[in-house]
Amino acid sequence: MAAYDERVATVVPDILDAVQERLEKHKVTHEEYRAAWRWLTGLAASGEVPLFLDVFFEAVVERLGTEGRPGSAGTVQGPYHVPDAVLLTGQPYILPMREDEPGEPMLFTGRVTDLDGAPLAGVLVDMWQAGNDGTYSGFVGDAPEGNLRARLHTGEDGTFTVRTIRPAPYRIPDSGPTGELLGMLGRHTWRPAHFHFILTADGREPLTTQLYFRGDPWLDEGDVVGAVKDSLVIDVREGTDREAAARAGLDGPHLAADYAFTLRPAEG
Ligand code: MBD
Ligand code: FE
């Protein structure tokens, strides 16, 4: 048996009490209880437990953990991170993609500094995103393993430039238990399009965040996960730096965007 855990023994009974109280409040029937029982069993069997948890609860604990902290805003990690993505070398970086990867080409430049604006070199950036069909490689869809996922480092000037494609808005699969529940709640299943990042560096607090694109209709309609913060919405423009584009193997029209990440010092 597991050892007594004071924190678990404090929080979990409170959550269970709240659930029991609401069962009483709504006079939930035995039939309804069975329906919920079947739904939860199906959730576990479908492999959607991580999705369900991140949709309904991750934004709450992320806010609690990062509210009021200096440095650029964090947000949820979500269920589609894959550790140990390929480590790229040599800027401009090119995210792993298929030769005919669908979607508008984009050059993204990140500038990473400390709280005083001093550039941070050698910061490890883990970046992942959905493709032009809104799916993440390794989960659903037909993209090869590792597609649109990579790790890379900032250069001496604290910047990194990466060639990718503009991701499409993400939609929770409506055939699964999570989508089914959202349907019964009368809620839509969309997230605005986004890039994901985890930045780590010696002596710095790690930053898990996402960037969204101004003009995305799902920024107005609401994010099913509730993870958007105003400061994480960036402008997308037409790329004009032909030289940088050419170095990244892009000779046609492309989009460009950038963002300044600031990392606060590690605690203690
Ligand atoms: C996602 O793509 C995502 O980023 C989160 C947080 C939840 C569900 C799907
Ligand atoms: Fe995502």
Side-chain angles (χ1 to χ4, degrees):
M1 217 169 83
Y4 176 78
D5 184 311
E6 191 179 343
R7 178 71 173 159
V8 172
T10 304
V11 175
V12 174
D14 203 38
I15 292 174
L16 297 177
D17 281 354
V19 173
Q20 288 164 359
E21 261 173 43
R22 299 310 163 91
L23 294 177
E24 284 172 16
K25 174 182 168 188
H26 296 286
K27 301 200 165 44
V28 169
T29 67
H30 201 239
E31 253 166 66
E32 289 167 338
Y33 166 75
R34 276 292 166 200
W37 189 103
R38 280 192 301 271
W39 182 84
L40 266 170
T41 305
L43 178 71
S46 72
E48 280 192 3
V49 169
L51 175 66
F52 168 75
L53 288 174
D54 291 350
V55 165
F56 286 94
F57 303 113
E58 192 183 8
V60 177
V61 293
E62 191 282 328
R63 273 200 182 81
L64 286 171
T66 65
E67 230 162 24
R69 121 191 143 166
S72 48
T75 190
V76 299
Q77 177 170 317
Y80 299 125
H81 178 247
V82 175
D84 305 320
V86 65
L87 185 64
L88 303 178
T89 55
Q91 301 218 41
Y93 299 110
I94 303 178
L95 273 200
M97 65 177 89
R98 293 162 284 189
E99 207 154 308
D100 53 353
E101 187 67 38
E104 290 173 276
M106 188 190 285
L107 273 189
F108 174 79
T109 297
R111 210 169 304 280
V112 187
T113 68
D114 67 12
L115 296 178
D116 301 318
L120 293 172
V123 174
L124 180 63
V125 178
D126 192 336
M127 177 175 179
W128 71 102
Q129 64 169 91
N132 190 50
D133 63 352
T135 68
Y136 288 86
S137 65
F139 291 88
V140 284
D142 48 19
E145 199 181 317
N147 207 54
L148 299 176
R149 304 173 177 277
R151 293 175 303 148
L152 50 96
H153 287 98
T154 57
E156 283 309 311
D157 63 354
T159 74
F160 64 95
T161 294
V162 60
R163 170 185 158 191
T164 182
I165 55 108
R166 182 183 184 134
Y170 168 84
R171 185 174 198 180
I172 287 166
D174 45 11
S175 55
T178 309
E180 182 195 14
L181 176 61
L182 288 164
M184 290 192 289
L185 300 180
R187 288 178 53 182
H188 73 68
T189 51
W190 291 90
R191 295 212 68 213
H194 53 279
F195 291 140
H196 286 268
F197 300 94
I198 300 174
L199 276 64
T200 45
D202 285 345
R204 301 279 139 197
E205 208 61 43
L207 175 68
T208 299
T209 195
Q210 304 182 13
L211 295 175
Y212 307 91
F213 309 104
R214 205 175 312 285
D216 188 318
W218 298 107
L219 289 172
D220 301 323
E221 298 298 321
D223 168 17
V224 62
V225 176
V228 176
K229 299 176 186 181
D230 289 346
S231 66
L232 299 176
V233 180
I234 60 173
D235 291 304
V236 178
R237 56 182 194 278
E238 214 164 298
T240 49
D241 188 343
R242 300 212 164 268
E243 225 173 276
R247 268 186 281 122
L250 275 176
D251 41 25
H254 63 279
L255 303 172
D258 41 62
Y259 183 74
F261 299 87
T262 44
L263 301 184
R264 64 173 184 151
E267 263 158 20

